[in-house]
Amino acid sequence: KAGVTQTPRYLIKTRGQQVTLSCSPISGHRSVSWYQQTPGQGLQFLFEYFSETQRNKGNFPGRFSGRQFSNSRSEMNVSTLELGDSALYLCASRLGLGDANQPQHFGDGTRLSIL
Amino acid sequence: QKEVEQNSGPLSVPEGAIASLNCTYSDRVSQSFFWYRQYSGKSPELIMSIYSNGDKEDGRFTAQLNKASQYVSLLIRDSQPSDSATYLCAVKPGSARQLTFGSGTQLTVLP
């Protein structure tokens, strides 16, 4: 069974640009969450999507947005990039929202560097 | 107070020893608890989950949960150099749908 797939693996952008990251969940998983990981802040929750709807949102500015498609694939967009957006962006999937005990499974991440 | 707290380490143990990793959480009604292992430059990998008080064993790993003390730990027996990684504690608070992660404990197993 294929795991969570994130593309691209690495990305270099400059300040003010925008970027779109992609995530394909494990087959059958319908919930996709996005996280930002930095050395200083650790793993921080961005948002979660289920059935093409954002179900939960962390404390990030509106420059960070996402969407989910009918096949459960998800994209995350960051506009007007800032130096502080340099981070590893991780996507995690799980079966759904109903079972609170479901673990999340992570993709390999997209490492975004802002110059 | 952070919602999930871990000692950042680094924690060093000799090969073959028991490594003990600790995590405390603030939400008393938290329901689910997970340990993830993250190698440098890699994504977190789920290694243990625990939902009820007591111990749960899986190979060389034992997770321990004490809800009264709001404490969850991970023991790694017969530690190997390949266990050297950052270990993340994740908790699902009672009122939230998403996991809250600790900052991680860096473990080094010395050959």
Side-chain angles (χ1 to χ4, degrees):
Chain A
K1 197 174 193 181
V4 179
T5 304
Q6 290 187 247
T7 57
R9 291 294 312 280
Y10 303 93
L11 207 47
I12 299 175
K13 292 286 188 178
T14 57
R15 282 182 300 174
Q17 288 186 309
Q18 75 167 19
V19 66
T20 299
L21 312 180
S22 179
C23 172
S24 293
I26 292 172
S27 178
H29 285 195
R30 297 174 62 196
S31 167
V32 173
S33 295
W34 288 90
Y35 293 85
Q36 181 195 67
Q37 188 175 36
T38 58
Q41 299 296 320
L43 255 175
Q44 292 189 291
F45 173 75
L46 282 155
F47 28 67
E48 180 178 26
Y49 283 85
F50 177 80
S51 289
E52 303 178 62
T53 303
Q54 188 180 92
R55 303 294 178 148
N56 212 355
K57 189 176 188 302
N59 295 322
F60 277 81
R63 300 186 297 107
F64 292 82
S65 63
R67 59 177 176 168
Q68 186 181 35
F69 302 94
S70 58
N71 62 357
S72 296
R73 190 177 71 85
S74 177
E75 288 182 347
M76 189 190 87
N77 184 275
V78 187
S79 62
T80 320
L81 286 164
E82 300 176 359
L83 292 177
D85 297 333
S86 294
L88 179 66
Y89 289 88
L90 291 162
C91 167
S93 76
R94 58 186 177 127
L95 279 170
L97 297 180
D99 183 357
N101 293 337
Q102 294 170 27
Q104 292 185 322
H105 299 272
F106 286 85
D108 287 338
T110 294
R111 185 160 298 279
L112 175 63
S113 298
I114 311 302
L115 303 179
Chain B
Q1 182 189 6
K2 289 185 178 179
E3 292 183 62
V4 179
E5 294 206 56
Q6 296 180 253
N7 289 329
S8 61
L11 172 66
S12 295
V13 299
E15 183 174 356
I18 296 175
S20 178
L21 306 164
N22 304 317
C23 173
T24 58
Y25 58 94
S26 60
D27 188 333
R28 187 170 289 278
V29 296
S30 295
Q31 301 174 349
S32 312
F33 308 85
F34 305 93
W35 283 98
Y36 286 82
R37 176 177 63 199
Q38 187 173 24
Y39 292 113
S40 180
K42 301 293 186 182
S43 63
E45 172 193 10
L46 178 69
I47 54 172
M48 288 288 286
S49 59
I50 187 166
Y51 310 113
S52 53
N53 279 329
D55 295 0
K56 179 181 177 183
E57 188 174 318
D58 183 1
R60 295 186 297 110
F61 298 98
T62 298
Q64 298 175 318
L65 176 61
N66 184 326
K67 290 187 177 181
S69 299
Q70 295 173 236
Y71 176 94
V72 58
S73 66
L74 179 71
L75 300 178
I76 307 174
R77 290 183 301 281
D78 188 24
S79 295
Q80 302 296 310
S82 59
D83 295 326
S84 297
T86 296
Y87 288 81
L88 300 167
C89 172
V91 176
K92 184 193 168 305
S95 60
R97 287 180 176 160
Q98 78 276 8
L99 294 180
T100 299
F101 285 81
S103 56
T105 297
Q106 184 181 344
L107 171 68
T108 300
V109 180
L110 303 170

